[in-house]
């Protein structure tokens, strides 16, 4: 089967989002290029019903299938910059972005209006990395879009073909060491409660949470209008290397920390002044979002800078002190005589756990002493771990045609399995959305159809391993995404708290005579699997994404139309009343940077009146004078 050529005039993989350059560090496919806005037809069309069926009960899903491919097609020729105003301006029909998932039919047989995320433009010559500027000095190019989001069928077909090829090619890596039946029953670990509050919904945590305790901390300021606090220029990649991961961003009470090419820099949250810089021998490959109460986090990095001839593997696991700007320890692991190249890392129960197809390991968070390593065999291995309040392993067992995933609540200190849920055979990948309550996402029967990696959520009792409920979330109706193939706990557009799952719906027509788009955040009961009937509307031409929990409330980001700035809102966990916490400037120069930080393909942190948006890749592609890896907003 030959790979189809890329569509004409499509951009190369963009900074902040392209895949790594070696097979040892596969990543999520790059997002599409910015698109020009939709054009209303000459005659107003007949309006379809507005939005998905928000009260539909979960439906059974088909069996065997697998989610999106672990690769991204090679970049096409440099694009012609799109012209015209951004999303929400009813003048032009946007072209589809190459690499964006296929468009699926929406409810009632109507076309599903997919939210095409903005992506940062290519990176060019930059000021020295880490230089924080107090204002936005760049002038946006005329006619830069703010966010058209639809795709066409032709591109969807091409992308589907590329995905299929990538899956076939990837099979040689994923399935070479997997054969036979499940010979592994109790070989991984337990889930003791964490000390230090990893993932408890505080700033920098993943926001997974079960029985919600405490009060909401984020309060609306007297004036919600924000200003740009600082921005960080994108780093220039070494010659001969096209794309490098700069994944990882964290918040403490005083510091915003962000990964660079081979360093992590801590910035003053308000001024952007560098407080410290931690030099690394190579780029950060993967990072957990969990931060302990004493400001520790974990990363995986390369032992040296990659080159055209030596891409380097992701072998180094380290704990970083975000208060001091120093490494606590660095460790490696071996599978036989070969060093393990890790795809993911997390923190749970005072343990740092890292996993991959070639092996895994767990270390004491404080000392770096090895605690345990998962048992590997021809039929089972730990693909990765979810952390936070508990530690959960996603364990793969069986041969290619009889794959079965074991979701295991494990003891962080010993690696013993406390409870286990076995998913149906044929489900290839699962992502951990929350460890307490335990919620995993999967694409069952390849039925999501949109590259999101999600068709269903599974609510599991982490004490007994029994399924509590299965939540149907069809890809044409819901906008959450998970990188279940490699990152395991990397999900966007969804959060868990109050024993409920909060998820963004796909964009759809607002209804009436308007040509505008909108979406909602809705809630599912994790005990019953049914929607609660609660919904928070984005508003005309906004798109809302839940970020994390804040006590009983949901913190969400609203992606704006072409002529406004983004918003951060708090959604009351019971009434679903929205309170605006921040509204960003609507000037073109600011919008130009903000619109390129797509919630699906960027890292977004909010806390104490500060919003921090950052890219996860740096690239040598260039079409602009200046590009930024970080932009920070504040109301105080």
């Amino acid at each position: 089967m030959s790979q189809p050529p890329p569509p004409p005039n499509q951009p190369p993989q963009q900074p902040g989002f392209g895949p790594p350059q070696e097979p040892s560090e596969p990543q999520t496919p790059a997002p599409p290029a910015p698109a020009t806005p939709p054009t209303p037809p000459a005659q107003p069309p007949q309006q379809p019903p507005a939005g998905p069926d928000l009260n539909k009960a979960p439906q059974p899903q088909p069996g065997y299938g697998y989610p999106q491919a672990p690769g991204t097609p090679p970049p096409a020729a440099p694009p012609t910059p799109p012209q015209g105003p951004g999303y929400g301006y009813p003048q032009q029909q946007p072209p589809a972005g190459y690499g964006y998932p296929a468009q699926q039919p929406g409810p009632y047989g109507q076309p599903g209006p997919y939210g095409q995320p903005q992506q940062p433009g290519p990176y060019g010559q930059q000021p020295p990395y880490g230089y924080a500027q107090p204002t936005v000095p760049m002038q946006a190019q005329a006619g830069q879009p703010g966010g058209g989001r639809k795709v066409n069928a032709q591109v969807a077909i091409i992308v589907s073909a590329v995905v299929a090829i990538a899956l076939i090619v990837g099979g040689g890596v994923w399935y070479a060491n997997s054969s036979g039946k499940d010979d592994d029953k109790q070989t991984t670990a337990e889930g003791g409660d964490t000390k230090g509050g990893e993932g408890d919904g505080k700033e920098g945590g993943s926001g997974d949470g079960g029985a919600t305790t405490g009060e909401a901390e984020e309060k609306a300021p007297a004036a919600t209008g924000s200003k740009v606090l600082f921005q960080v220029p994108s780093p220039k990649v070494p010659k001969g290397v096209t794309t490098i991961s700069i994944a990882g961003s964290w918040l403490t009470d005083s510091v915003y920390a962000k990964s660079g090419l081979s360093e992590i820099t801590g910035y003053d949250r308000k001024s952007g002044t560098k407080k410290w810089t931690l030099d690394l021998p190579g780029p950060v490959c993967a990072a957990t979002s969990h931060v302990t109460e004493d400001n520790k986090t974990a990363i995986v990095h390369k032992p040296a800078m990659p080159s055209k001839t030596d891409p380097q593997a992701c072998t180094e696991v380290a704990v970083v002190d975000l208060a001091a700007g120093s490494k606590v320890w660095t460790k490696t692991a071996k599978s036989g005589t070969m060093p393990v190249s890790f795809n993911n890392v997390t923190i749970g129960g005072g343990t740092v756990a890292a996993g991959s197809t070639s092996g895994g390991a767990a270390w004491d968070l404080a000392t770096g002493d090895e605690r345990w390593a998962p048992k590997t065999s021809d039929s089972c291995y730990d693909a990765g771990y979810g952390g936070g309040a508990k530690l959960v392993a996603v364990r793969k067992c069986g041969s290619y045609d009889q794959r079965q995933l074991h979701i295991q609540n494990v003891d962080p200190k010993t690696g013993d399995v406390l409870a286990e849920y076995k998913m149906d055979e044929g489900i290839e990948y699962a992502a951990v959305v929350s460890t307490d309550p335990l919620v995993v996402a999967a694409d069952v029967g390849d039925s999501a159809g949109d590259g999101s990696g999600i068709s269903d959520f599974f609510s599991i009792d982490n004490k007994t391993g029994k399924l509590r409920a299965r939540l149907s979330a069809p890809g044409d109706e819901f906008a959450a995404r998970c990188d279940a193939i490699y990152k395991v706990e990397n999900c966007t557009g969804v959060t868990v708290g109050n024993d409920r799952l909060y998820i963004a719906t796909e964009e759809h027509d607002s209804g009436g005579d308007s040509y505008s788009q909108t979406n909602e955040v809705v809630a599912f009961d994790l005990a019953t699997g049914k929607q609660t009937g609660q919904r928070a509307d984005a508003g005309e031409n906004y798109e809302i994404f839940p970020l994390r929990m804040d006590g009983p409330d949901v913190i969400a980001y609203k992606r704006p139309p072409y002529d406004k700035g983004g918003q951060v809102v708090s959604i009351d966990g019971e009434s679903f009343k929205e309170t605006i916490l921040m509204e960003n400037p609507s000037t073109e120069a600011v919008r130009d940077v903000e619109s390129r930080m797509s919630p699906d393909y960027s890292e977004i942190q909010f806390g104490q009146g500060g919003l921090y948006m950052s890219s996860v890749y740096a690239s040598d592609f260039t079409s602009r004078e200046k590009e930024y890896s970080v932009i920070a907003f504040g109301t105080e």
Side-chain angles (χ1 to χ4, degrees), residues 49 67 71 84 124 134 148 176 190 209 219 264 296 344 381 426 457 461 465 489 493 504 512 521 526 529 569 579 584:
E190 155 192 347
K219 306 298 182 183
I264 299 174
K296 304 295 194 306
N344 55 76
Y381 66 90
F457 293 91
D461 188 311
E489 63 174 0
V521 169
L526 292 176
V569 298
T579 301
N584 294 334

Side-chain angles (χ1 to χ4, degrees), residues 501-525:
L501 180 140
Y502 302 96
I503 184 173
T505 68
E506 283 286 4
E507 280 192 300
H508 55 81
D509 292 338
S510 297
D513 296 330
S514 171
Y515 298 107
S516 63
Q517 299 267 290
T518 191
N519 79 321
E520 302 81 26
V521 169
V522 298
F524 282 85
D525 188 309

Side-chain angles (χ1 to χ4, degrees), residues 45-116:
Q46 182 177 357
Q47 294 295 328
D53 181 357
L54 299 177
N55 295 300
K56 185 169 69 175
Q59 299 297 321
Q61 298 298 318
Y64 175 78
Y66 47 83
Q68 61 191 23
T72 303
T80 301
Q83 299 298 320
Y87 175 76
Y89 188 83
Q91 293 299 324
Q92 302 178 19
Q93 181 67 29
Y98 180 53
Y100 196 69
Q103 184 170 350
Q104 298 296 311
Y108 317 108
Q110 299 296 332
Y114 270 87
Q116 182 173 350

Side-chain angles (χ1 to χ4, degrees), residues 107-194:
Y108 317 108
Q110 299 296 332
Y114 270 87
Q116 182 173 350
Q118 281 298 313
Q119 145 181 1
Y123 292 92
Q125 298 294 327
Q126 304 296 341
Y129 174 68
Y131 179 72
Q133 305 174 33
T135 58
V136 179
M138 64 286 174
Q139 293 299 321
Q141 295 180 0
Q144 286 300 328
R149 297 176 177 129
K150 295 202 178 192
V151 295
N152 62 34
Q154 181 178 5
V155 171
I157 293 171
I158 294 173
V159 174
S160 298
V162 172
V163 167
I165 292 170
L167 280 169
I168 293 171
V169 173
V173 176
W174 279 90
Y175 307 128
N177 295 320
S178 299
S179 61
K181 299 289 184 179
D182 175 14
D183 59 1
D184 184 68
K185 300 298 182 184
Q186 297 287 315
T187 56
T188 317
E190 155 192 347
D193 292 338
T194 55

Side-chain angles (χ1 to χ4, degrees), residues 168 174 256 298 325 444 448 478 537 609:
I168 293 171
W174 279 90
Y256 170 72
V444 180
F478 296 94
D537 295 320

